[in-house]
Each structure stands twice: as C-alpha cells, then as structure tokens.
Amino acid sequence: GSSCFCSKLTMQGGYPSTAEAAKNQNEKDAEYLKQTTQEWVLAGSEKLHSPVVAGYDFNKGVDYDAILDAYITTGFQATNLAKAVSEVERMLDWSLADDPVPADEEEEWTSPEARLKVRTKIWLSYTSNLISSGLRESIRFLAQHSMVQVMISTAGGIEEDLIKCMAPTHLGDFAMEGLALRRKGINRIGNLLAPNDNYCLFEDWIMKIFNAMHDEQDKDGIVWTPSKMIHRFGKEIDNPQSVCYWAYRNNIPVFCPAITDGSIGDMLYFHSYKREGFVVDLVRDIRAVNDQAMKARKTGVIVLGGGLVKHHCMNANLMRNGADFCVYVNTAQEFDGSDSGARPDEAVSWGKIRVDAQPVKVYAEATLVFPLIIAKTFAARLQRGDWKPEGRLFDKAFTNSELQVEKKKTFPNA
C-alpha cells in the first residue's frame, strides 16, 4: 500500500519524514536568526565613557547637600536640576579675568584686578503665580542681596507682592468649587486663596499713589514707564517683606511690559474715569530693557515659567546675540509651537542664546525646584561668606577683535 511506498522513499533518500523536515527547517530558522535578529538586535556595544547612573544611598544617613549632589547621576529631571545648579554656578563664577586680554583692549581693562570686577549680569524672569506662592520669599532673598541685576514679571507678579504686605494669601485646595468661592468673595489661584478684601485694600493704597504720580507728570514733566512705576511702588510700600521694596533699595530694574494686565490695570482704568491724561510710556522701557542686554559683557538668564516673562527676557538678549548662560524651569511642552514650551535650542536659532552656551531646561514646577537651586548656589555662597557684591561691574563692550571672534562662532565664513 501507500504507507509501504512512503517508507521505501524515506529509506532510499526520497521524501523526508515529518520529524526530519521539522529538524531541517529548525536549523534553517536558527541560521537565519543568527544572521538577522541576533546580529542586529544583539549587536556588540561600544564602550561608554559617560558617568554611571547612581542615586543617593540613604545608608549614609540623611545629608541633604549630598542628596542634591547625587542628582547629577540620578537621571531624568534630577540630572537636569543638577545641571541647572552647575549653570547658575558658572554664571556666578565668571569674570572678565577668565577671558584673554585682546591686543586692542583699552588700557584700563588690561589689569587682572580691573577684569575681575566685570561679572555676569543675571536676569530673573518669573510669572505672577510664583509671587502668589511661597516662592515670593525666595525671589525676595535674591533681590535683597543684589544677587540678580534685572527682573521681569507680569502685572500679577508686582501687585501680588504689594498686596501681601497688606493682607495674606491663604492655602486652599485645587478641588475647591468655583461657584461656592465666588459667593464668598474668595478668588482661587491653584490651591491658594486670595480674598476680594485684599484687592480693596490694594485699591485704597495705590489710588493715592496714582494721583501723586499724575501730579508729578503734570507739574514736573515726569515720564512714567512700567519699571519707573514699580520702582515707585517699592519705595512707597516700604516693607522689607516685599520683592519690589528690595528692588527699589538695590536699584534693580523690574520690567513689566504687561503692567495693565491685572489689578494694576483695573486701578488705572478706574483712575482714568476720575482723572484723564495719565500716561505710561512703554517705548522707554523697551529701550531700557534692551540696553540692559546690549551693554552687558555676559548675561545669564533664569526663567521661571513661560509666556510673556520668558519671551521678553529672551528677546532682549537677542540684542546682544544671545545669553551666555541660561536656565529654564517650566512644565510646558514644545509640540504646540508655543514659546512657553520651546526648548533652549529653539532660542539658539533666533539668536537669543549664544551658539557656544550650555543651556539647561528643567521640566518641573518652579516651587518644587527653584528653592533647591538657590540653596546650592546663591544662598550657599552667602552662608559661606563668599558673597561679596561690592564693586561689581556688568557693562563692558567687546573690542573690535573680540566682536569678530564672536561673529565667527555663528558665521565661520564671514
């Protein structure tokens, strides 16, 4: 029969048996696997020379300074936070003495002593919600000790600082119902609560100042700009808990191109119906903020949050072919094309960050991480007795030969 015939074929080298066919196919598959998957997926590795990932070992005890030091090798945003600390340290460490003296340098800038005085001009930009939060105290610390030279915020970042000198902001909860709060005259800022009464106190205080400023405009020809207004507010509030107060005391310009976008704008609106003609000159401030960038020898920017404060800071630094040092702290993503979410490399394309800079973006909410950055940098220097702001200079022009060197970094064939 047929079974006998198949047996004879197999014995005589004809059709293979099922087992033999399976074996042959398996050998072919194994060879194919070796030539494809194993060689491609499990290809040999090149030797890595970057740091090894390792976090803090709590068997060594609870040492907060060491914990933060370990962030650099922890990975993810911990590593970015450690890089941000390093970038701020570089801002603070730099002086003109680090750069070679060019042949066409003016005599007064050739000595090591003179060059050591020229330091990085540090810019701090922050959104208004951060002043509403407890981060206000961290920002005030920086202004109090003249640790930053230029500040940029929104209207809320100014008025909330002043209002807190009159009445407190309280903790609430993100889930509190809006309608119930509205009926109680309570405004919610995330998980913070600001009573309407606070703004009534602010109105009583600022309306008198607006009238005085209006008088000075009409009688003395004073031209008010947002930064000059904020300087005046800092003088009038006369409260050492205030950011504006210390900016006034230490002559730190605070720029706010959207000064009318908040309660200050509401008060200006009310004032205009009682007394027309008060003028705020925005053009003088755009010149002033751009000059702050253009005249600086080195700039370092720290931007907390996004939107207007980020763009205004970075656009000013475009006037000098970009910031030399840069730290962004925000939670925004770049997929929607917003400036808020734009990574530092996008700013390089615009000339807002220098091509040889080492910018850092920390993807985090600022109240979580900025106090840690301050603790490892500004505050640590003050605590060690290393903070000596006296005699610093920030504005120093490049020589012609230095300008050519800078230009060739971006346009090597120019």
Side-chain angles (χ1 to χ4, degrees):
S2 60
S3 61
C4 181
F5 175 70
C6 288
S7 298
K8 289 180 179 179
L9 284 175
T10 300
M11 292 173 60
Q12 295 171 5
Y15 298 120
S17 66
T18 301
E20 192 173 349
K23 179 182 179 184
N24 291 341
Q25 187 60 48
N26 189 61
E27 290 174 352
K28 290 180 181 179
D29 290 345
E31 182 61 27
Y32 186 74
L33 178 67
K34 180 180 178 182
Q35 293 177 0
T36 56
T37 308
Q38 288 183 328
E39 291 184 5
W40 296 342
V41 177
L42 302 177
S45 302
E46 292 185 5
K47 187 173 179 60
L48 294 174
H49 301 284
S50 60
V52 173
V53 174
Y56 181 74
D57 182 357
F58 281 95
N59 287 308
K60 298 177 180 178
V62 179
D63 182 336
Y64 293 104
D65 201 49
I67 292 168
L68 290 176
D69 287 341
Y71 274 27
I72 192 66
T73 55
T74 299
F76 306 137
Q77 294 311 302
T79 294
N80 281 0
L81 176 58
K83 287 181 177 180
V85 167
S86 178
E87 183 75 344
V88 173
E89 289 282 66
R90 291 175 64 234
M91 296 181 198
L92 293 169
D93 285 342
W94 182 87
S95 76
L96 190 60
D98 296 336
D99 295 354
V101 180
D104 57 345
E105 183 62 272
E106 296 179 9
E107 180 65 29
E108 65 175 307
W109 298 112
T110 57
S111 72
E113 294 78 15
R115 297 177 75 81
L116 193 62
K117 292 179 181 179
V118 181
R119 315 295 292 199
T120 304
K121 183 183 286 186
I122 298 179
W123 298 51
L124 177 65
S125 287
Y126 51 93
T127 49
S128 65
N129 58 319
L130 302 181
I131 291 294
S132 300
S133 78
L135 204 61
R136 174 198 185 217
E137 280 62 43
S138 298
I139 293 171
R140 186 212 66 216
F141 169 84
L142 297 178
Q144 179 180 354
H145 296 285
S146 298
M147 291 172 167
V148 296
Q149 287 69 58
V150 181
M151 302 174 79
I152 298 174
S153 192
T154 55
I158 309 306
E159 64 207 22
E160 292 294 323
D161 173 63
L162 301 168
I163 290 169
K164 280 187 171 183
C165 296
M166 305 168 197
T169 299
H170 290 264
L171 281 170
D173 190 277
F174 285 103
M176 295 180 77
E177 184 191 15
L179 178 57
L181 290 172
R182 178 62 178 161
R183 287 170 173 167
K184 295 177 181 177
I186 305 295
N187 306 288
R188 184 169 65 83
I189 309 166
N191 61 349
L192 312 179
L193 300 175
N196 277 342
D197 289 349
N198 293 15
Y199 296 91
C200 295
L201 293 172
F202 181 61
E203 179 179 4
D204 294 340
W205 178 82
I206 203 168
M207 282 305 196
K208 298 173 185 176
I209 297 170
F210 281 158
N211 275 318
M213 291 167 63
H214 201 152
D215 289 342
E216 292 166 31
Q217 172 192 285
D218 292 347
K219 296 176 183 177
D220 305 323
I222 299 293
V223 178
W224 293 102
T225 67
S227 63
K228 191 179 289 188
M229 290 173 66
I230 296 164
H231 187 80
R232 178 64 170 268
F233 297 157
K235 176 183 178 181
E236 296 289 347
I237 199 66
D238 194 25
N239 188 319
Q241 298 302 311
S242 164
V243 175
C244 293
Y245 169 79
W246 285 108
Y248 158 73
R249 282 283 303 271
N250 293 323
N251 203 29
I252 301 168
V254 182
F255 295 101
C256 183
I259 190 77
T260 58
D261 187 31
S263 184
I264 292 174
D266 298 341
M267 303 309 161
L268 286 169
Y269 172 70
F270 299 150
H271 176 82
S272 73
Y273 274 91
K274 296 177 181 177
R275 184 178 176 186
E276 291 188 11
F278 186 65
V279 176
V280 181
D281 189 339
L282 295 179
V283 177
R284 291 197 184 198
D285 255 14
I286 193 62
R287 175 168 174 166
V289 73
N290 288 351
D291 279 354
Q292 284 286 348
M294 183 187 68
K295 294 179 180 179
R297 180 51 185 255
K298 290 268 188 184
T299 62
V301 302
I302 302 170
V303 183
L304 309 177
L308 180 144
V309 302
K310 181 171 182 255
H311 186 268
H312 201 60
C313 173
M314 303 313 298
N315 195 72
N317 275 271
L318 182 152
M319 299 298 161
R320 63 181 309 280
N321 198 34
D324 299 277
F325 309 101
C326 177
V327 171
Y328 292 167
V329 179
N330 65 58
T331 57
Q333 304 294 318
E334 67 172 345
F335 64 83
D336 59 2
S338 66
D339 183 69
S340 293
R343 293 182 298 110
D345 190 59
E346 183 174 311
V348 173
S349 78
W350 287 89
K352 298 173 182 177
I353 298 176
R354 296 213 168 204
V355 295
D356 55 348
Q358 301 174 40
V360 181
K361 176 172 179 177
V362 183
Y363 290 82
E365 196 268 296
T367 61
L368 279 170
V369 299
F370 193 51
L372 302 178
I373 293 174
I374 292 175
K376 289 291 288 181
T377 55
F378 298 102
R381 291 180 183 232
L382 183 67
Q383 188 176 40
R384 293 194 305 262
D386 294 340
W387 183 247
K388 296 177 172 56
E390 299 78 12
R392 295 172 302 168
L393 301 171
F394 305 101
D395 295 345
K396 162 71 174 73
F398 287 89
T399 69
N400 288 333
S401 66
E402 288 175 322
L403 286 173
Q404 292 305 311
V405 170
E406 292 299 313
K407 184 176 181 180
K408 285 187 176 295
K409 290 177 182 178
T410 306
F411 306 106
N413 298 323

